[in-house]
Amino acid sequence: MGSTLYQKVWDLHTVRKLPTGQTQLFVGLHLVHEVTSPQAFAMLKDRGWTVPFPGRTLATVDHIVPTRNVARPFADAMAEEMLARLEANCREHRVPLHGLGDAAQGIVHVIGPELGATQPGMTIACGDSHTSTHGAFGALAFGIGTSQVRDVLATQCLALDPLKVRRIDVEGTLPKGVYAKDAILAIIGRLGVKGGVGFAYEYGGEVIERMSMEERMTVCNMSVEGGARAGYVNPDRTTFDYLRGRPLAPEGTAFERASAWWASLASDAGARYDDRVTMQGSSIEPAVTWGINPGQVVGVSERVPRPEDVEPSERPGVVEALAYMGLAGGSAILGTRIDVAFIGSCTNGRLSDLREAARVVKGRRAAPHVKALVVPGSQAVSRAAEDEGLDAVFREAGFEWRGAGCSMCLAMNDDRLEGRQMCASSSNRNFKGRQGSPTGRTLLMSPAMVAAAAVAGEVADVRRML
Ligand code: SF4
């Protein structure tokens, strides 16, 4: 019987089985940022430990970066302290840092792939939930907590429980105006936000296989929103073509040797899965979340559920979500008024995302009552977009064009919702208060759908604007 990529990569990185039943895994790449690392570095200092594998560690600054004025010291003293700590810790432990002003700075899950640091067959860890993004390359990538960041800094290892593997095939084709974001929201909508607990998700099928690496990253990024510990796509020609020539990818014949090895890690044809799910791409439409978790999602032509229409066990959650969002059960999601439009994040802040959104806004203008902003995922995305003139397209349409960072995905800088503002957002979480205001509301959707909503001033169907 064949093996899955998960099993092959897990076995290759197993140091030993621990008495607890967990596995001690070697971590090939540790990505570090300013929010979850200060305490971890401090714990190392307390014990007099150093980082044994600084060459397998890569740091950047993303969460707290202001997107308008990056002059130091930052106006926000806490943000300044976090960045200063990261700079000092990286200096002390010889960890490469793509800091402020560095041409490669950006969101940790955007720059790892851009630099070619993310490669197939790796185990990757980062103190951020959306580390699952890197699974798009056929890596096993895990979001970890601060004490685990300490463990990886000190030992380059992690103690993890083994996972089951669910194969999710999306077959056929996605209709025009339907994107990777809609596919993953449809998957989470079907399987639930806890459906993936204990699993790694392996994505496949014609739709996934035809996707670009950027689209695969969007899908894998949100695996964690479906409860999965990791998500991945088997590496193929698309993966290798993306990586060839990247600064940290192997070069010349070493790249060809690496590609052959990477290809051998893909799941075997006869691999056994713990569960299988198949969906049809043609049945997916542009998705919009209506509630307070990413599984509370409908197609743009659908209505939000009424409490009486759902299973009794789900009813309290639906009542709570409708009350928080100020939506009536049974109402159409189409036409829901928005106040803010945010295009960015590690889910959808890459060049292809900005291109699709720009295609929608070109020759149109954001509605007068909508504050619309575009925050590229990295400096490299920003430069590439500006070279293509996308910044001008957005500016002419009344959008603000900002510097790279996490921005309003999490609102750890000064880009935040105010009061009960409703935000059409290309990010990944619609939890209560996620975008900075304790009462702010988030509607997750694709970047093209956010662009359409910004123009219409309300949730709109992007298929009518392409
Ligand atoms: S963009 Fe959002 S989800 Fe992604 S790393 Fe930043 S804060 Fe986390």
PDB file of all heavy atoms in Angstrom, residues 369-402:
ATOM      1  N   HIS A 369     -19.399  56.289   0.566  1.00  0.00           N
ATOM      2  CA  HIS A 369     -19.431  56.012   2.019  1.00  0.00           C
ATOM      3  C   HIS A 369     -18.460  54.906   2.425  1.00  0.00           C
ATOM      4  O   HIS A 369     -18.363  54.584   3.620  1.00  0.00           O
ATOM      5  CB  HIS A 369     -20.854  55.637   2.459  1.00  0.00           C
ATOM      6  CG  HIS A 369     -21.315  54.284   1.970  1.00  0.00           C
ATOM      7  ND1 HIS A 369     -21.920  54.106   0.747  1.00  0.00           N
ATOM      8  CD2 HIS A 369     -21.236  53.059   2.533  1.00  0.00           C
ATOM      9  CE1 HIS A 369     -22.205  52.828   0.591  1.00  0.00           C
ATOM     10  NE2 HIS A 369     -21.795  52.166   1.658  1.00  0.00           N
ATOM     11  N   VAL A 370     -17.730  54.324   1.466  1.00  0.00           N
ATOM     12  CA  VAL A 370     -16.847  53.183   1.783  1.00  0.00           C
ATOM     13  C   VAL A 370     -15.400  53.638   1.888  1.00  0.00           C
ATOM     14  O   VAL A 370     -14.882  54.313   1.001  1.00  0.00           O
ATOM     15  CB  VAL A 370     -16.968  52.083   0.701  1.00  0.00           C
ATOM     16  CG1 VAL A 370     -15.919  50.986   0.932  1.00  0.00           C
ATOM     17  CG2 VAL A 370     -18.366  51.482   0.706  1.00  0.00           C
ATOM     18  N   LYS A 371     -14.768  53.269   3.002  1.00  0.00           N
ATOM     19  CA  LYS A 371     -13.321  53.450   3.141  1.00  0.00           C
ATOM     20  C   LYS A 371     -12.673  52.178   2.593  1.00  0.00           C
ATOM     21  O   LYS A 371     -12.920  51.083   3.111  1.00  0.00           O
ATOM     22  CB  LYS A 371     -12.964  53.633   4.620  1.00  0.00           C
ATOM     23  CG  LYS A 371     -11.471  53.667   4.898  1.00  0.00           C
ATOM     24  CD  LYS A 371     -11.256  53.649   6.413  1.00  0.00           C
ATOM     25  CE  LYS A 371      -9.827  53.322   6.766  1.00  0.00           C
ATOM     26  NZ  LYS A 371      -9.111  54.388   7.388  1.00  0.00           N
ATOM     27  N   ALA A 372     -11.900  52.328   1.530  1.00  0.00           N
ATOM     28  CA  ALA A 372     -11.342  51.139   0.861  1.00  0.00           C
ATOM     29  C   ALA A 372      -9.826  51.201   0.903  1.00  0.00           C
ATOM     30  O   ALA A 372      -9.239  52.239   0.586  1.00  0.00           O
ATOM     31  CB  ALA A 372     -11.829  51.083  -0.586  1.00  0.00           C
ATOM     32  N   LEU A 373      -9.201  50.113   1.332  1.00  0.00           N
ATOM     33  CA  LEU A 373      -7.747  50.111   1.341  1.00  0.00           C
ATOM     34  C   LEU A 373      -7.162  48.808   0.821  1.00  0.00           C
ATOM     35  O   LEU A 373      -7.748  47.741   0.984  1.00  0.00           O
ATOM     36  CB  LEU A 373      -7.160  50.475   2.705  1.00  0.00           C
ATOM     37  CG  LEU A 373      -7.374  49.638   3.916  1.00  0.00           C
ATOM     38  CD1 LEU A 373      -6.299  49.978   4.960  1.00  0.00           C
ATOM     39  CD2 LEU A 373      -8.725  49.933   4.506  1.00  0.00           C
ATOM     40  N   VAL A 374      -6.010  48.963   0.158  1.00  0.00           N
ATOM     41  CA  VAL A 374      -5.275  47.816  -0.374  1.00  0.00           C
ATOM     42  C   VAL A 374      -3.929  47.780   0.338  1.00  0.00           C
ATOM     43  O   VAL A 374      -3.194  48.768   0.346  1.00  0.00           O
ATOM     44  CB  VAL A 374      -5.044  47.944  -1.893  1.00  0.00           C
ATOM     45  CG1 VAL A 374      -4.332  46.701  -2.421  1.00  0.00           C
ATOM     46  CG2 VAL A 374      -6.352  48.169  -2.627  1.00  0.00           C
ATOM     47  N   VAL A 375      -3.628  46.626   0.944  1.00  0.00           N
ATOM     48  CA  VAL A 375      -2.372  46.458   1.681  1.00  0.00           C
ATOM     49  C   VAL A 375      -1.639  45.243   1.092  1.00  0.00           C
ATOM     50  O   VAL A 375      -2.005  44.104   1.381  1.00  0.00           O
ATOM     51  CB  VAL A 375      -2.637  46.256   3.188  1.00  0.00           C
ATOM     52  CG1 VAL A 375      -1.324  46.134   3.941  1.00  0.00           C
ATOM     53  CG2 VAL A 375      -3.466  47.406   3.743  1.00  0.00           C
ATOM     54  N   PRO A 376      -0.622  45.466   0.260  1.00  0.00           N
ATOM     55  CA  PRO A 376       0.102  44.328  -0.325  1.00  0.00           C
ATOM     56  C   PRO A 376       0.702  43.448   0.768  1.00  0.00           C
ATOM     57  O   PRO A 376       1.081  43.928   1.837  1.00  0.00           O
ATOM     58  CB  PRO A 376       1.206  45.000  -1.158  1.00  0.00           C
ATOM     59  CG  PRO A 376       0.740  46.405  -1.366  1.00  0.00           C
ATOM     60  CD  PRO A 376      -0.068  46.764  -0.161  1.00  0.00           C
ATOM     61  N   GLY A 377       0.833  42.152   0.451  1.00  0.00           N
ATOM     62  CA  GLY A 377       1.327  41.201   1.443  1.00  0.00           C
ATOM     63  C   GLY A 377       2.814  41.331   1.717  1.00  0.00           C
ATOM     64  O   GLY A 377       3.299  40.829   2.726  1.00  0.00           O
ATOM     65  N   SER A 378       3.541  41.971   0.818  1.00  0.00           N
ATOM     66  CA  SER A 378       4.996  42.107   1.013  1.00  0.00           C
ATOM     67  C   SER A 378       5.504  43.282   0.186  1.00  0.00           C
ATOM     68  O   SER A 378       4.805  43.787  -0.702  1.00  0.00           O
ATOM     69  CB  SER A 378       5.713  40.831   0.567  1.00  0.00           C
ATOM     70  OG  SER A 378       5.636  40.711  -0.847  1.00  0.00           O
ATOM     71  N   GLN A 379       6.738  43.653   0.479  1.00  0.00           N
ATOM     72  CA  GLN A 379       7.371  44.708  -0.319  1.00  0.00           C
ATOM     73  C   GLN A 379       7.484  44.261  -1.774  1.00  0.00           C
ATOM     74  O   GLN A 379       7.327  45.057  -2.693  1.00  0.00           O
ATOM     75  CB  GLN A 379       8.775  45.007   0.218  1.00  0.00           C
ATOM     76  CG  GLN A 379       8.820  45.488   1.643  1.00  0.00           C
ATOM     77  CD  GLN A 379       8.306  46.905   1.799  1.00  0.00           C
ATOM     78  OE1 GLN A 379       8.038  47.593   0.818  1.00  0.00           O
ATOM     79  NE2 GLN A 379       8.140  47.333   3.025  1.00  0.00           N
ATOM     80  N   ALA A 380       7.779  42.970  -1.976  1.00  0.00           N
ATOM     81  CA  ALA A 380       7.928  42.467  -3.348  1.00  0.00           C
ATOM     82  C   ALA A 380       6.604  42.538  -4.098  1.00  0.00           C
ATOM     83  O   ALA A 380       6.572  42.919  -5.281  1.00  0.00           O
ATOM     84  CB  ALA A 380       8.454  41.032  -3.321  1.00  0.00           C
ATOM     85  N   VAL A 381       5.513  42.189  -3.427  1.00  0.00           N
ATOM     86  CA  VAL A 381       4.196  42.300  -4.064  1.00  0.00           C
ATOM     87  C   VAL A 381       3.915  43.765  -4.395  1.00  0.00           C
ATOM     88  O   VAL A 381       3.446  44.098  -5.487  1.00  0.00           O
ATOM     89  CB  VAL A 381       3.086  41.735  -3.139  1.00  0.00           C
ATOM     90  CG1 VAL A 381       1.704  42.063  -3.686  1.00  0.00           C
ATOM     91  CG2 VAL A 381       3.243  40.231  -2.961  1.00  0.00           C
ATOM     92  N   SER A 382       4.245  44.642  -3.449  1.00  0.00           N
ATOM     93  CA  SER A 382       4.003  46.067  -3.645  1.00  0.00           C
ATOM     94  C   SER A 382       4.754  46.586  -4.875  1.00  0.00           C
ATOM     95  O   SER A 382       4.176  47.259  -5.740  1.00  0.00           O
ATOM     96  CB  SER A 382       4.442  46.817  -2.381  1.00  0.00           C
ATOM     97  OG  SER A 382       4.169  48.170  -2.516  1.00  0.00           O
ATOM     98  N   ARG A 383       6.039  46.231  -4.963  1.00  0.00           N
ATOM     99  CA  ARG A 383       6.845  46.694  -6.114  1.00  0.00           C
ATOM    100  C   ARG A 383       6.295  46.141  -7.434  1.00  0.00           C
ATOM    101  O   ARG A 383       6.152  46.864  -8.407  1.00  0.00           O
ATOM    102  CB  ARG A 383       8.302  46.245  -5.956  1.00  0.00           C
ATOM    103  CG  ARG A 383       9.134  47.067  -4.995  1.00  0.00           C
ATOM    104  CD  ARG A 383      10.611  46.735  -5.150  1.00  0.00           C
ATOM    105  NE  ARG A 383      10.903  45.327  -4.968  1.00  0.00           N
ATOM    106  CZ  ARG A 383      11.076  44.741  -3.780  1.00  0.00           C
ATOM    107  NH1 ARG A 383      10.969  45.441  -2.666  1.00  0.00           N
ATOM    108  NH2 ARG A 383      11.339  43.451  -3.694  1.00  0.00           N
ATOM    109  N   ALA A 384       5.970  44.846  -7.442  1.00  0.00           N
ATOM    110  CA  ALA A 384       5.476  44.222  -8.682  1.00  0.00           C
ATOM    111  C   ALA A 384       4.153  44.858  -9.099  1.00  0.00           C
ATOM    112  O   ALA A 384       3.920  45.117 -10.285  1.00  0.00           O
ATOM    113  CB  ALA A 384       5.315  42.718  -8.478  1.00  0.00           C
ATOM    114  N   ALA A 385       3.292  45.127  -8.125  1.00  0.00           N
ATOM    115  CA  ALA A 385       1.991  45.740  -8.436  1.00  0.00           C
ATOM    116  C   ALA A 385       2.193  47.150  -8.977  1.00  0.00           C
ATOM    117  O   ALA A 385       1.523  47.568  -9.938  1.00  0.00           O
ATOM    118  CB  ALA A 385       1.116  45.760  -7.185  1.00  0.00           C
ATOM    119  N   GLU A 386       3.103  47.894  -8.368  1.00  0.00           N
ATOM    120  CA  GLU A 386       3.360  49.266  -8.829  1.00  0.00           C
ATOM    121  C   GLU A 386       3.966  49.252 -10.233  1.00  0.00           C
ATOM    122  O   GLU A 386       3.640  50.098 -11.064  1.00  0.00           O
ATOM    123  CB  GLU A 386       4.260  49.992  -7.825  1.00  0.00           C
ATOM    124  CG  GLU A 386       3.493  50.324  -6.551  1.00  0.00           C
ATOM    125  CD  GLU A 386       4.361  50.895  -5.437  1.00  0.00           C
ATOM    126  OE1 GLU A 386       5.552  51.169  -5.692  1.00  0.00           O
ATOM    127  OE2 GLU A 386       3.837  51.046  -4.321  1.00  0.00           O
ATOM    128  N   ASP A 387       4.836  48.267 -10.509  1.00  0.00           N
ATOM    129  CA  ASP A 387       5.409  48.158 -11.858  1.00  0.00           C
ATOM    130  C   ASP A 387       4.323  47.945 -12.911  1.00  0.00           C
ATOM    131  O   ASP A 387       4.453  48.373 -14.049  1.00  0.00           O
ATOM    132  CB  ASP A 387       6.407  46.986 -11.930  1.00  0.00           C
ATOM    133  CG  ASP A 387       7.706  47.309 -11.208  1.00  0.00           C
ATOM    134  OD1 ASP A 387       7.916  48.501 -10.867  1.00  0.00           O
ATOM    135  OD2 ASP A 387       8.504  46.376 -10.970  1.00  0.00           O
ATOM    136  N   GLU A 388       3.248  47.264 -12.518  1.00  0.00           N
ATOM    137  CA  GLU A 388       2.144  47.008 -13.457  1.00  0.00           C
ATOM    138  C   GLU A 388       1.123  48.138 -13.471  1.00  0.00           C
ATOM    139  O   GLU A 388       0.156  48.082 -14.218  1.00  0.00           O
ATOM    140  CB  GLU A 388       1.401  45.715 -13.065  1.00  0.00           C
ATOM    141  CG  GLU A 388       2.209  44.470 -13.271  1.00  0.00           C
ATOM    142  CD  GLU A 388       1.398  43.207 -12.962  1.00  0.00           C
ATOM    143  OE1 GLU A 388       0.152  43.269 -12.902  1.00  0.00           O
ATOM    144  OE2 GLU A 388       2.042  42.161 -12.782  1.00  0.00           O
ATOM    145  N   GLY A 389       1.294  49.106 -12.569  1.00  0.00           N
ATOM    146  CA  GLY A 389       0.349  50.224 -12.510  1.00  0.00           C
ATOM    147  C   GLY A 389      -0.915  49.919 -11.722  1.00  0.00           C
ATOM    148  O   GLY A 389      -1.901  50.651 -11.809  1.00  0.00           O
ATOM    149  N   LEU A 390      -0.891  48.843 -10.940  1.00  0.00           N
ATOM    150  CA  LEU A 390      -2.107  48.500 -10.181  1.00  0.00           C
ATOM    151  C   LEU A 390      -2.404  49.527  -9.101  1.00  0.00           C
ATOM    152  O   LEU A 390      -3.561  49.804  -8.789  1.00  0.00           O
ATOM    153  CB  LEU A 390      -1.970  47.108  -9.538  1.00  0.00           C
ATOM    154  CG  LEU A 390      -1.734  45.923 -10.480  1.00  0.00           C
ATOM    155  CD1 LEU A 390      -1.728  44.615  -9.695  1.00  0.00           C
ATOM    156  CD2 LEU A 390      -2.793  45.869 -11.567  1.00  0.00           C
ATOM    157  N   ASP A 391      -1.335  50.101  -8.517  1.00  0.00           N
ATOM    158  CA  ASP A 391      -1.547  51.114  -7.480  1.00  0.00           C
ATOM    159  C   ASP A 391      -2.345  52.293  -8.044  1.00  0.00           C
ATOM    160  O   ASP A 391      -3.254  52.808  -7.397  1.00  0.00           O
ATOM    161  CB  ASP A 391      -0.210  51.580  -6.888  1.00  0.00           C
ATOM    162  CG  ASP A 391       0.715  52.168  -7.936  1.00  0.00           C
ATOM    163  OD1 ASP A 391       0.715  51.683  -9.086  1.00  0.00           O
ATOM    164  OD2 ASP A 391       1.441  53.133  -7.617  1.00  0.00           O
ATOM    165  N   ALA A 392      -2.011  52.679  -9.300  1.00  0.00           N
ATOM    166  CA  ALA A 392      -2.723  53.802  -9.928  1.00  0.00           C
ATOM    167  C   ALA A 392      -4.183  53.440 -10.170  1.00  0.00           C
ATOM    168  O   ALA A 392      -5.085  54.267  -9.964  1.00  0.00           O
ATOM    169  CB  ALA A 392      -2.037  54.179 -11.242  1.00  0.00           C
ATOM    170  N   VAL A 393      -4.430  52.197 -10.580  1.00  0.00           N
ATOM    171  CA  VAL A 393      -5.821  51.761 -10.805  1.00  0.00           C
ATOM    172  C   VAL A 393      -6.618  51.893  -9.512  1.00  0.00           C
ATOM    173  O   VAL A 393      -7.731  52.434  -9.501  1.00  0.00           O
ATOM    174  CB  VAL A 393      -5.855  50.292 -11.309  1.00  0.00           C
ATOM    175  CG1 VAL A 393      -7.295  49.767 -11.349  1.00  0.00           C
ATOM    176  CG2 VAL A 393      -5.200  50.176 -12.674  1.00  0.00           C
ATOM    177  N   PHE A 394      -6.032  51.426  -8.425  1.00  0.00           N
ATOM    178  CA  PHE A 394      -6.744  51.494  -7.141  1.00  0.00           C
ATOM    179  C   PHE A 394      -6.934  52.939  -6.690  1.00  0.00           C
ATOM    180  O   PHE A 394      -8.018  53.335  -6.244  1.00  0.00           O
ATOM    181  CB  PHE A 394      -5.994  50.686  -6.065  1.00  0.00           C
ATOM    182  CG  PHE A 394      -6.176  49.198  -6.205  1.00  0.00           C
ATOM    183  CD1 PHE A 394      -5.096  48.377  -6.497  1.00  0.00           C
ATOM    184  CD2 PHE A 394      -7.423  48.610  -6.048  1.00  0.00           C
ATOM    185  CE1 PHE A 394      -5.256  46.997  -6.627  1.00  0.00           C
ATOM    186  CE2 PHE A 394      -7.596  47.226  -6.171  1.00  0.00           C
ATOM    187  CZ  PHE A 394      -6.505  46.427  -6.468  1.00  0.00           C
ATOM    188  N   ARG A 395      -5.865  53.729  -6.817  1.00  0.00           N
ATOM    189  CA  ARG A 395      -5.972  55.135  -6.370  1.00  0.00           C
ATOM    190  C   ARG A 395      -7.049  55.872  -7.158  1.00  0.00           C
ATOM    191  O   ARG A 395      -7.844  56.629  -6.600  1.00  0.00           O
ATOM    192  CB  ARG A 395      -4.629  55.841  -6.528  1.00  0.00           C
ATOM    193  CG  ARG A 395      -3.627  55.476  -5.444  1.00  0.00           C
ATOM    194  CD  ARG A 395      -2.533  56.535  -5.354  1.00  0.00           C
ATOM    195  NE  ARG A 395      -1.557  56.171  -4.346  1.00  0.00           N
ATOM    196  CZ  ARG A 395      -0.388  55.572  -4.626  1.00  0.00           C
ATOM    197  NH1 ARG A 395      -0.076  55.285  -5.871  1.00  0.00           N
ATOM    198  NH2 ARG A 395       0.453  55.268  -3.663  1.00  0.00           N
ATOM    199  N   GLU A 396      -7.053  55.656  -8.468  1.00  0.00           N
ATOM    200  CA  GLU A 396      -8.058  56.336  -9.313  1.00  0.00           C
ATOM    201  C   GLU A 396      -9.479  55.915  -8.928  1.00  0.00           C
ATOM    202  O   GLU A 396     -10.431  56.642  -9.149  1.00  0.00           O
ATOM    203  CB  GLU A 396      -7.803  56.024 -10.791  1.00  0.00           C
ATOM    204  CG  GLU A 396      -6.696  56.898 -11.377  1.00  0.00           C
ATOM    205  CD  GLU A 396      -6.082  56.308 -12.641  1.00  0.00           C
ATOM    206  OE1 GLU A 396      -6.744  55.483 -13.297  1.00  0.00           O
ATOM    207  OE2 GLU A 396      -4.936  56.680 -12.955  1.00  0.00           O
ATOM    208  N   ALA A 397      -9.583  54.708  -8.377  1.00  0.00           N
ATOM    209  CA  ALA A 397     -10.910  54.221  -7.979  1.00  0.00           C
ATOM    210  C   ALA A 397     -11.262  54.637  -6.545  1.00  0.00           C
ATOM    211  O   ALA A 397     -12.285  54.224  -6.005  1.00  0.00           O
ATOM    212  CB  ALA A 397     -10.953  52.699  -8.094  1.00  0.00           C
ATOM    213  N   GLY A 398     -10.387  55.450  -5.934  1.00  0.00           N
ATOM    214  CA  GLY A 398     -10.693  55.960  -4.591  1.00  0.00           C
ATOM    215  C   GLY A 398     -10.208  55.074  -3.463  1.00  0.00           C
ATOM    216  O   GLY A 398     -10.587  55.276  -2.305  1.00  0.00           O
ATOM    217  N   PHE A 399      -9.374  54.073  -3.778  1.00  0.00           N
ATOM    218  CA  PHE A 399      -8.806  53.217  -2.734  1.00  0.00           C
ATOM    219  C   PHE A 399      -7.529  53.848  -2.183  1.00  0.00           C
ATOM    220  O   PHE A 399      -6.837  54.563  -2.895  1.00  0.00           O
ATOM    221  CB  PHE A 399      -8.432  51.834  -3.293  1.00  0.00           C
ATOM    222  CG  PHE A 399      -9.586  50.909  -3.542  1.00  0.00           C
ATOM    223  CD1 PHE A 399     -10.552  51.211  -4.499  1.00  0.00           C
ATOM    224  CD2 PHE A 399      -9.701  49.711  -2.846  1.00  0.00           C
ATOM    225  CE1 PHE A 399     -11.608  50.352  -4.740  1.00  0.00           C
ATOM    226  CE2 PHE A 399     -10.755  48.845  -3.081  1.00  0.00           C
ATOM    227  CZ  PHE A 399     -11.714  49.157  -4.036  1.00  0.00           C
ATOM    228  N   GLU A 400      -7.208  53.537  -0.942  1.00  0.00           N
ATOM    229  CA  GLU A 400      -5.910  53.919  -0.378  1.00  0.00           C
ATOM    230  C   GLU A 400      -4.917  52.805  -0.686  1.00  0.00           C
ATOM    231  O   GLU A 400      -5.243  51.626  -0.507  1.00  0.00           O
ATOM    232  CB  GLU A 400      -6.016  54.111   1.138  1.00  0.00           C
ATOM    233  CG  GLU A 400      -6.938  55.248   1.537  1.00  0.00           C
ATOM    234  CD  GLU A 400      -7.099  55.319   3.048  1.00  0.00           C
ATOM    235  OE1 GLU A 400      -6.106  55.107   3.769  1.00  0.00           O
ATOM    236  OE2 GLU A 400      -8.229  55.560   3.493  1.00  0.00           O
ATOM    237  N   TRP A 401      -3.723  53.184  -1.128  1.00  0.00           N
ATOM    238  CA  TRP A 401      -2.668  52.218  -1.434  1.00  0.00           C
ATOM    239  C   TRP A 401      -1.642  52.304  -0.315  1.00  0.00           C
ATOM    240  O   TRP A 401      -1.000  53.331  -0.140  1.00  0.00           O
ATOM    241  CB  TRP A 401      -2.036  52.547  -2.791  1.00  0.00           C
ATOM    242  CG  TRP A 401      -0.903  51.643  -3.190  1.00  0.00           C
ATOM    243  CD1 TRP A 401       0.427  51.930  -3.137  1.00  0.00           C
ATOM    244  CD2 TRP A 401      -1.013  50.313  -3.703  1.00  0.00           C
ATOM    245  NE1 TRP A 401       1.162  50.859  -3.581  1.00  0.00           N
ATOM    246  CE2 TRP A 401       0.305  49.849  -3.936  1.00  0.00           C
ATOM    247  CE3 TRP A 401      -2.084  49.457  -3.972  1.00  0.00           C
ATOM    248  CZ2 TRP A 401       0.576  48.575  -4.437  1.00  0.00           C
ATOM    249  CZ3 TRP A 401      -1.813  48.199  -4.476  1.00  0.00           C
ATOM    250  CH2 TRP A 401      -0.500  47.781  -4.697  1.00  0.00           C
ATOM    251  N   ARG A 402      -1.502  51.235   0.481  1.00  0.00           N
ATOM    252  CA  ARG A 402      -0.693  51.286   1.691  1.00  0.00           C
ATOM    253  C   ARG A 402       0.591  50.467   1.579  1.00  0.00           C
ATOM    254  O   ARG A 402       0.785  49.713   0.628  1.00  0.00           O
ATOM    255  CB  ARG A 402      -1.518  50.727   2.849  1.00  0.00           C
ATOM    256  CG  ARG A 402      -2.791  51.519   3.160  1.00  0.00           C
ATOM    257  CD  ARG A 402      -2.482  52.866   3.776  1.00  0.00           C
ATOM    258  NE  ARG A 402      -3.678  53.495   4.307  1.00  0.00           N
ATOM    259  CZ  ARG A 402      -4.224  53.215   5.491  1.00  0.00           C
ATOM    260  NH1 ARG A 402      -3.692  52.297   6.271  1.00  0.00           N
ATOM    261  NH2 ARG A 402      -5.301  53.846   5.887  1.00  0.00           N
TER     262      ARG A 402
END
